Amino acid sequence: MNRVTPLLLCTLTLPFGSVNASQECARWGEFSTHANTKMTTLNTPSQNKLSVSGDLVYRPLLKTDKHYWLGLQLSSAVLQLDNTPIQALYYGVPFAVKIASSGDILDYHFAAKLKPEDKQKLMAIYQQFHVEHLKQVDLSAPKILEETDNLGRYRVHYQTLANQAIQKQKLSYTLTTQGTQLFSFKKPEIKQDLFTLNITDCWISELQGYNNTLVESAKGDININVYQTIKYKQKQQPIAADIALMSLPLSPQQWPQLPQSSVYPKPKPVPLASAKSFTNLLLSKDLRALSTEALLQLIYDNQIHLNALHSLIKQGTFEDKQLSRLLLMIGKSDFTYAHQLLADLYLDTELDANQRFRSLMALKYSEQPLSPKLVDSIYSHIDSEELTTSDEKLARTALMVLGVIASNQAGSEFAQSLTASLADRLVTTRDTKKQATLLTALGNSADATHQESISKFLRNDDAKLRAKAAQALGNMPNEVSLGYLEKSLKNEPNTDTQQALLSAMGNNQLSEPQIDKVIGFAQKQQSNTVRVAAINAAAKQMPHNQEIKEKLKPLLKQERDQQVLRALMSAIHGHN
């Protein structure tokens, strides 16, 4: 199913959109799609039927002069594969689409951390309904436009019918999306396509139609024939009060993130009879040779026995490379028992410092909230006034790991609480080493909520702290943090801090005057390390500003320093 479903939901691009982006225009309706897929792979035929249905909810969100957001959620989603119900809770995750004033799609945002392929499925639902670009088109007479979906670019015919409904018909693909290195595809062949829709002032009241598309690999070894129908009909009842989309903030960036367990629930673990059985089994295996899937499953099934590993690790029972992989997989398994074991290993001051460090490196993979008690125990160690030199280093690492964990769970209440605690410590401590670490930790979190507190360190007497603040702000690119960086660069005398400021600025999309200021630091009167940082920052602008090449080329003519020359050559010729 994983290979087929994305194609099923990406073969159509159906009209749907907001005419009036206001809260009063929130709507919902009955949505269903049925797809019959016939596939031949290496002369082996297969066939399946996929049905998706639910209440499709639409809500206009935040609007600015340059763009606006539209929110969607397929509530009460029901899926059937070959007439058998299947579970796919990610279909019910609220998501938002960022639309330019021109009607083009700029970005997507999801209320959970989804797998890339599942993001594509939700994006495909919106793409099926996207007509924001049609606001600029007069359909009083038939029109042929070019549009894009996940299969490629195609020509499509629109016309207004006598009853004022709009008819849409895909004609042919003009360009196909490139496949992977293993597969390349011919242009998709549209065998049938016809849809009609009725638009209201806010949304659409009804949509229905069908599509039959054939996709074939260039070598002919893969052939996929999809026939799909889609229906939508607006409901007259008020939107149900328990629809998550309706209670979310207007700004998608402020949406809390759903826990992974509610989106990708796992079956109940099946543990071995005892902790002894589990540890004996682990010790009998070559953990480096065991597949990732098998080792993760073994750890998941026996999570209740994980605490038994603490004493074995302390005794040095595991060979070093075996233990290294085991700790990594425990971190990636990401559940409460795993968090607890890794925290206990870090807090065990009798354990080898290297193993304690490894436990922290494994803990940084956490995408589920740590328990409040566990966080408190970590902070208690970090804040202790009786740390050894080794413990101080580990405590600084722990702070930085907490920042990474907050980034993993960005938007969740747990992440907000965690970054708030880091920011509080930054404001209250007078220890410069801890301040530097906390700045790095907040930078790791990428939580712009605390950018003002960070920016104050750009004026600190300590150049190292100024550089750390710049690096932190560089991890949360936006207009406000960019303003702090640009202002600080004007008067910064320290070359290391100048490098940090320039690199951080480069993470933003810069205006022409800002680009010119950055390139000004690439001139010969600056130190070579600063020049390289300026060139690299300018090079980051290349994807949306090709004129930078011409601005950098004059610097090549008389350049003799090899480091600067390599940076220039990479910037000018590395983005072709």
Side-chain angles (χ1 to χ4, degrees):
M1 178 187 170
N2 286 342
R3 292 181 60 190
V4 177
T5 302
L7 176 64
L8 299 182
L9 291 177
C10 294
T11 50
L12 304 179
T13 303
L14 308 183
F16 169 55
S18 158
V19 176
N20 179 10
S22 67
Q23 179 64 19
E24 291 73 21
C25 274
R27 295 289 184 270
W28 70 334
E30 297 174 352
F31 168 85
S32 65
T33 176
H34 304 278
N36 188 355
T37 300
K38 296 180 179 180
M39 178 184 294
T40 302
T41 306
L42 301 176
N43 297 320
T44 302
S46 62
Q47 181 174 348
N48 65 49
K49 296 179 180 179
L50 176 69
S51 297
V52 183
S53 62
D55 293 327
L56 187 58
V57 186
Y58 163 86
R59 178 192 174 198
L61 300 170
L62 185 69
K63 183 176 183 180
T64 71
D65 293 338
K66 296 181 180 179
H67 65 263
Y68 54 96
W69 288 90
L70 306 176
L72 290 97
Q73 182 183 2
L74 186 59
S75 177
S76 305
V78 176
L79 279 78
Q80 288 193 334
L81 182 63
D82 295 331
N83 299 317
T84 300
I86 58 174
Q87 187 179 62
L89 298 181
Y90 53 82
Y91 270 102
V93 171
F95 66 103
V97 191
K98 187 178 182 180
I99 308 292
S101 55
S102 63
D104 296 331
I105 298 173
L106 297 176
D107 198 9
Y108 291 88
H109 183 86
F110 303 88
K113 189 167 186 177
L114 300 180
K115 299 174 183 177
E117 61 269 26
D118 297 335
K119 286 183 179 181
Q120 290 293 328
K121 295 167 191 173
L122 293 185
M123 289 160 58
I125 289 179
Y126 175 74
Q127 289 165 2
Q128 293 167 359
F129 287 83
H130 179 63
V131 289
E132 296 299 306
H133 59 299
L134 292 182
K135 294 177 183 178
Q136 322 294 332
V137 179
D138 180 5
L139 292 181
S140 59
K143 291 285 190 307
I144 294 179
L145 305 177
E146 281 210 353
E147 297 177 2
T148 302
D149 63 14
N150 288 6
L151 295 181
R153 192 157 185 83
Y154 57 87
R155 296 168 65 248
V156 57
H157 179 270
Y158 286 99
Q159 67 175 343
T160 302
L161 304 178
N163 63 358
Q164 298 306 305
I166 294 175
Q167 185 181 82
K168 175 185 177 182
Q169 183 177 21
K170 278 186 183 179
L171 302 176
S172 61
Y173 278 86
T174 59
L175 184 69
T176 184
T177 302
Q178 293 300 311
T180 66
Q181 293 180 345
L182 295 176
F183 303 107
S184 59
F185 292 91
K186 300 176 183 178
K187 292 177 184 176
E189 179 185 348
I190 301 172
K191 293 180 170 291
Q192 298 180 78
D193 186 275
L194 189 65
F195 284 84
T196 58
L197 61 149
N198 296 85
I199 296 180
T200 67
D201 288 342
C202 288
W203 206 25
I204 64 172
S205 58
E206 191 169 359
L207 176 148
Q208 61 181 338
Y210 57 86
N211 171 278
N212 182 198
T213 298
L214 175 67
V215 180
E216 189 173 21
S217 65
K219 294 181 179 180
D221 51 353
I222 299 177
N223 181 291
I224 305 172
N225 191 349
V226 182
Y227 181 85
Q228 185 175 21
T229 62
I230 291 188
K231 291 184 180 180
Y232 170 83
K233 186 170 183 179
Q234 182 176 304
K235 298 172 71 169
Q236 300 306 312
Q237 303 96 318
I239 298 175
D242 60 350
I243 300 293
L245 175 66
M246 301 307 297
S247 60
L248 291 173
L250 287 177
S251 173
Q253 276 84 9
Q254 297 177 7
W255 285 5
Q257 295 285 282
L258 293 168
Q260 291 293 93
S261 57
S262 69
V263 180
Y264 299 112
K266 292 183 178 181
K268 290 184 178 180
V270 184
L272 294 171
S274 66
K276 185 68 173 177
S277 300
F278 170 57
T279 55
N280 285 343
L281 181 60
L282 278 181
L283 290 169
S284 70
K285 299 283 188 181
D286 181 354
L287 300 182
R288 291 175 296 169
L290 205 60
S291 72
T292 297
E293 293 75 15
L295 184 50
L296 284 173
Q297 187 64 47
L298 181 60
I299 292 169
Y300 173 73
D301 281 336
N302 293 280
Q303 55 188 280
I304 62 172
H305 302 319
L306 279 183
N307 63 335
L309 296 177
H310 190 148
S311 60
L312 294 180
I313 292 171
K314 198 168 183 177
Q315 295 164 17
T317 307
F318 292 95
E319 186 267 331
D320 189 64
K321 291 184 178 179
Q322 303 262 17
L323 178 58
S324 179
R325 185 158 193 258
L326 178 60
L327 289 175
L328 175 63
M329 291 299 105
I330 289 173
K332 289 191 173 183
S333 65
D334 191 22
F335 43 75
T336 302
Y337 291 101
H339 299 164
Q340 189 64 57
L341 172 64
L342 295 172
D344 287 346
L345 292 173
Y346 159 64
L347 294 170
D348 188 344
T349 56
E350 296 180 358
L351 195 64
D352 178 77
N354 184 49
Q355 307 303 3
R356 296 171 67 194
F357 176 79
R358 283 178 175 178
S359 72
L360 287 173
M361 291 299 97
L363 193 61
K364 74 179 183 180
Y365 291 99
S366 302
E367 296 184 356
Q368 300 293 331
L370 308 184
S371 72
K373 184 178 179 181
L374 189 149
V375 174
D376 287 343
S377 65
I378 292 175
Y379 271 137
S380 292
H381 179 263
I382 290 172
D383 296 336
S384 173
E385 297 181 356
E386 299 179 357
L387 297 179
T388 65
T389 301
S390 177
D391 278 342
E392 285 182 356
K393 292 179 180 179
L394 286 168
R396 290 198 289 272
T397 301
L399 284 172
M400 290 186 281
V401 165
L402 291 177
V404 173
I405 293 173
S407 176
N408 293 345
Q409 303 177 37
S412 68
E413 291 183 10
F414 171 77
Q416 293 169 3
S417 172
L418 197 53
T419 57
S421 67
L422 293 170
D424 286 344
R425 281 169 168 76
L426 177 63
V427 172
T428 56
T429 186
R430 293 295 176 263
D431 184 320
T432 56
K433 287 184 178 179
K434 186 172 283 190
Q435 287 173 332
T437 302
L438 286 163
L439 287 168
T440 300
L442 285 168
N444 289 346
S445 78
D447 186 353
T449 305
H450 306 290
Q451 60 188 359
E452 183 180 357
S453 297
I454 295 170
S455 71
K456 293 177 181 178
F457 284 84
L458 293 173
R459 303 187 295 273
N460 196 279
D461 292 338
D462 189 324
K464 182 179 179 180
L465 290 180
R466 297 200 299 273
K468 291 291 185 182
Q471 291 165 356
L473 292 172
N475 287 342
M476 44 191 77
N478 60 72
E479 291 183 4
V480 175
S481 65
L482 177 59
Y484 293 139
L485 296 167
E486 187 178 9
K487 181 179 179 181
S488 184
L489 184 61
K490 293 178 181 178
N491 303 310
E492 178 54 57
N494 182 272
T495 56
D496 289 340
T497 307
Q498 287 175 346
Q499 291 179 65
L501 288 164
L502 289 164
S503 297
M505 287 182 66
N507 292 342
N508 294 266
Q509 184 170 332
L510 304 179
S511 66
E512 287 297 329
Q514 289 168 335
I515 289 172
D516 290 340
K517 289 178 183 177
V518 168
I519 292 179
F521 280 84
Q523 307 300 321
K524 279 201 168 183
Q525 61 268 29
Q526 303 291 337
S527 72
N528 287 339
T529 54
V530 170
R531 296 177 67 200
V532 169
I535 292 165
N536 291 338
K540 292 179 184 178
Q541 308 302 307
M542 209 77 74
H544 48 80
N545 190 335
Q546 289 297 310
E547 293 181 4
I548 290 174
K549 290 184 179 181
E550 300 306 316
K551 294 185 177 184
L552 292 175
K553 282 180 180 179
L555 301 178
L556 278 172
K557 296 179 180 178
Q558 297 180 343
E559 186 55 56
R560 295 293 180 265
D561 182 83
Q562 291 300 307
Q563 185 182 15
V564 177
L565 195 58
R566 282 195 297 270
L568 283 169
M569 294 297 289
S570 176
I572 295 169
H573 301 293
H575 296 267
N576 292 336

